[in-house]
Amino acid sequence: GAGVSQSPSNKVTEKGKDVELRCDPISGHTALYWYRQSLGQGLEFLIYFQGNSAPDKSGLPSDRFSAERTGGSVSTLTIQRTQQEDSAVYLCASSLNRRDYGYTFGSGTRLTVV
Amino acid sequence: GDSVTQMEGPVTLSEEAFLTINCTYTATGYPSLFWYVQYPGEGLQLLLKATKADDKGSNKGFEATYRKETTSFHLEKGSVQVSDSAVYFCALPLGDKIIFGKGTRLHILP
């Protein structure tokens, strides 16, 4: 597509529920990144994919967080048993390859856990 | 470890004022340095970059010079406009990903 598309744009969920966030990167971009943006915390790296594999999962905050990427394209970030501290904007970015730092970001998914 | 530190915001200026947003970094070697911008309701986008010491990146009237002596990459603009109101992030690569500063929110008053 023309840009990085994320859905939903907003999600309100009850504490303890599972959520899935979707990212559709730019066609042909092999690298895909997930970040979390919290008030006062800046951008926190979560995970990165090169193709369908995830060489760096170092930023996932707990085992409640997981992500997958299929067909070298769409990625899904799943948060199980959501907690209030998971409330944040989740950003996805893609780039041509893993050392091309000119990322294109989506507009994000604002997650609110109540 | 490698990191970037940028000035706390928000920064509020009048239109046509001179802007400086400070950024310093800690890194092994001399990595590329970046400024990203996030306009209201939009995703982050790359504003400018510098790939080696003494390089100057520039775009949309913004400039930043990679200074290895002071490990800095300050963002400057000579005359800001209301449309420059946004959040600005200093960043550097760490392996296969970018790490970002906490961001500086800029408000420009007409």
Side-chain angles (χ1 to χ4, degrees):
Chain A
V4 177
S5 178
Q6 291 189 246
S7 61
S9 54
N10 280 284
K11 175 74 176 178
V12 179
T13 189
E14 292 182 352
K15 178 181 172 181
K17 300 281 190 183
D18 298 353
V19 295
E20 285 190 353
L21 312 180
R22 177 188 167 101
C23 173
D24 197 348
I26 291 175
S27 178
H29 279 195
T30 64
L32 185 148
Y33 307 82
W34 284 98
Y35 287 83
R36 179 165 71 174
Q37 185 175 22
S38 306
L39 198 61
Q41 296 299 314
L43 270 74
E44 176 188 6
F45 168 79
L46 298 178
I47 187 170
Y48 124 77
F49 288 91
Q50 178 61 42
N52 290 336
S53 63
D56 190 346
K57 304 178 183 180
S58 62
L60 294 178
S62 75
D63 59 7
R64 296 186 296 105
F65 287 72
S66 63
E68 65 175 12
R69 188 180 185 194
T70 55
S73 181
V74 172
S75 176
T76 303
L77 176 69
T78 301
I79 309 173
Q80 296 179 311
R81 305 180 303 281
T82 50
Q83 304 295 313
Q84 288 187 330
E85 61 262 29
D86 300 334
S87 296
V89 177
Y90 289 82
L91 296 172
C92 176
S94 70
S95 63
L96 273 173
N97 57 61
R98 63 189 178 94
R99 288 296 172 104
D100 171 12
Y101 299 114
Y103 294 178
T104 301
F105 279 83
S107 297
T109 294
R110 181 176 298 279
L111 175 66
T112 304
V113 182
V114 298
Chain B
D2 292 12
S3 65
V4 287
T5 302
Q6 59 184 108
M7 62 190 291
E8 297 278 331
V11 174
T12 302
L13 296 172
S14 297
E15 205 166 22
E16 299 183 1
F18 184 87
L19 168 71
T20 300
I21 299 178
N22 291 339
C23 170
T24 57
Y25 67 90
T26 302
T28 305
Y30 302 105
S32 296
L33 297 171
F34 309 92
W35 277 100
Y36 275 76
V37 58
Q38 185 178 30
Y39 297 104
E42 299 183 15
L44 277 78
Q45 56 186 272
L46 179 64
L47 178 61
L48 55 82
K49 68 178 181 181
T51 57
K52 61 183 187 294
D54 300 325
D55 261 4
K56 178 183 286 188
S58 61
N59 187 23
K60 299 183 179 182
F62 290 88
E63 293 183 337
T65 301
Y66 189 156
R67 300 203 184 279
K68 65 178 181 180
E69 305 84 6
T70 53
T71 61
S72 66
F73 192 54
H74 303 325
L75 183 68
E76 297 181 334
K77 186 173 185 182
S79 176
V80 292
Q81 305 300 313
V82 172
S83 57
D84 295 326
S85 297
V87 182
Y88 294 81
F89 295 88
C90 187
L92 62 81
L94 180 62
D96 292 337
K97 62 185 181 282
I98 292 178
I99 57 173
F100 293 86
K102 292 191 173 183
T104 303
R105 184 174 297 277
L106 175 65
H107 293 289
I108 305 299
L109 303 174

